[in-house]
Amino acid sequence: ILNVEQSPQSLHVQEGDSTNFTCSFPSSNFYALHWYRWETAKSPEALFVMTLNGDEKKKGRISATLNTKEGYSYLYIKGSQPEDSATYLCAASNSGYSTLTFGKGTMLLVSP
Amino acid sequence: SAVISQKPSRDICQRGTSLTIQCQVDSQVTMMFWYRQQPGQSLTLIATANQGSEATYESGFVIDKFPISRPNLTFSTLTVSNMSPEDSSIYLCSVGDSLRGTEAFFGQGTRLTVV
């Protein structure tokens, strides 16, 4: 089982603020890094799946970067909106495991 | 993509009883996965359910406690047996033929409280 750590545990920002979260994972035998967004009472929804060192992906105001050599990924939200309020999960896999290991998530609250 | 219908969405159960959670997928999938998230903890894989064979359980989870059925390629159930308050969690089913490199799809979750 991999050790996937996310920080911060929770975050409270004002509407319009930009914010970022961190996910760290073991760099050895890395295979893929996933980001999911999980709103209360809904299904977790995939944001990004990244596999290559230096990968940068963007979806609207949300973007993510990946550093596989040092074992971390950043998720950025530009101009946060109240509808961005959710728990953001990252999950990693390596070549030794066929499944994902999740972090504990970062709970984001965006106030109007 | 896949759409998964999971039920019940929530339940409050007495200790010592059992609850069966169902997941129906809108397409045929090879593997289905069952996860648990205890309060303040990570989403943790319980087992992988393959059609036509016994489920594969992760370390710390056993078939007697979490029996799983996978009668066909679109449906699976997870039973939480002889429940105790420590089983209070969110349970999620998920699908994907390769969870490592492609996105996973999840049900809406079952929020279980054991009293």
Side-chain angles (χ1 to χ4, degrees):
Chain A
I1 295 181
L2 309 179
N3 185 27
V4 179
E5 301 282 344
Q6 289 188 249
S7 64
Q9 184 177 355
S10 63
L11 198 53
H12 184 186
V13 302
Q14 296 297 311
E15 183 175 356
D17 289 349
S18 293
T19 186
N20 65 84
F21 325 132
T22 304
C23 175
S24 63
F25 52 88
S27 56
S28 60
N29 300 317
F30 170 83
Y31 190 93
L33 190 285
H34 297 219
W35 281 102
Y36 292 88
R37 181 187 135 125
W38 191 6
E39 290 182 70
T40 303
K42 294 187 177 180
S43 309
E45 172 194 2
L47 291 172
F48 306 110
V49 177
M50 297 185 287
T51 57
L52 299 177
N53 184 46
D55 253 355
E56 289 190 32
K57 294 202 172 182
K58 187 175 180 182
K59 184 183 286 190
R61 295 179 290 100
I62 305 176
S63 60
T65 61
L66 178 66
N67 183 323
T68 63
K69 295 188 187 304
E70 296 182 37
Y72 64 83
S73 175
Y74 293 136
L75 187 78
Y76 300 92
I77 302 179
K78 184 178 177 182
S80 302
Q81 299 296 309
E83 56 265 31
D84 296 328
S85 298
T87 296
Y88 291 81
L89 300 174
C90 79
S93 64
N94 68 16
S95 56
Y97 297 100
S98 61
T99 56
L100 294 171
T101 300
F102 284 84
K104 292 184 179 181
T106 293
M107 186 182 302
L108 173 67
L109 177 62
V110 183
S111 296
Chain B
S1 67
V3 176
I4 304 172
S5 174
Q6 181 175 345
K7 57 183 180 181
S9 59
R10 61 176 61 234
D11 209 340
I12 300 174
C13 300
Q14 296 291 322
R15 69 175 68 203
T17 63
S18 298
L19 176 73
T20 295
I21 303 167
Q22 300 180 2
C23 275
Q24 178 74 52
V25 190
D26 68 344
S27 58
Q28 294 185 338
V29 293
T30 304
M31 293 191 287
M32 292 182 72
F33 303 85
W34 288 97
Y35 289 88
R36 174 178 80 175
Q37 186 184 47
Q38 294 176 300
Q41 301 302 310
S42 308
L43 202 56
T44 302
L45 183 65
I46 297 171
T48 302
N50 296 314
Q51 194 269 332
S53 63
E54 239 180 49
T56 304
Y57 289 83
E58 298 298 305
S59 175
F61 297 96
V62 295
I63 188 171
D64 289 347
K65 176 67 176 175
F66 297 102
I68 287 171
S69 78
R70 183 83 203 273
N72 57 54
L73 291 173
T74 63
F75 187 79
S76 180
T77 68
L78 170 78
T79 298
V80 186
S81 302
N82 188 24
M83 289 184 283
S84 66
E86 292 70 39
D87 294 319
S88 298
S89 299
I90 298 174
Y91 293 84
L92 280 170
C93 63
S94 176
V95 301
D97 281 324
S98 175
L99 280 189
R100 291 189 298 163
T102 57
E103 65 183 278
F105 299 92
F106 293 88
Q108 302 95 322
T110 296
R111 185 178 293 271
L112 171 63
T113 302
V114 183
V115 298

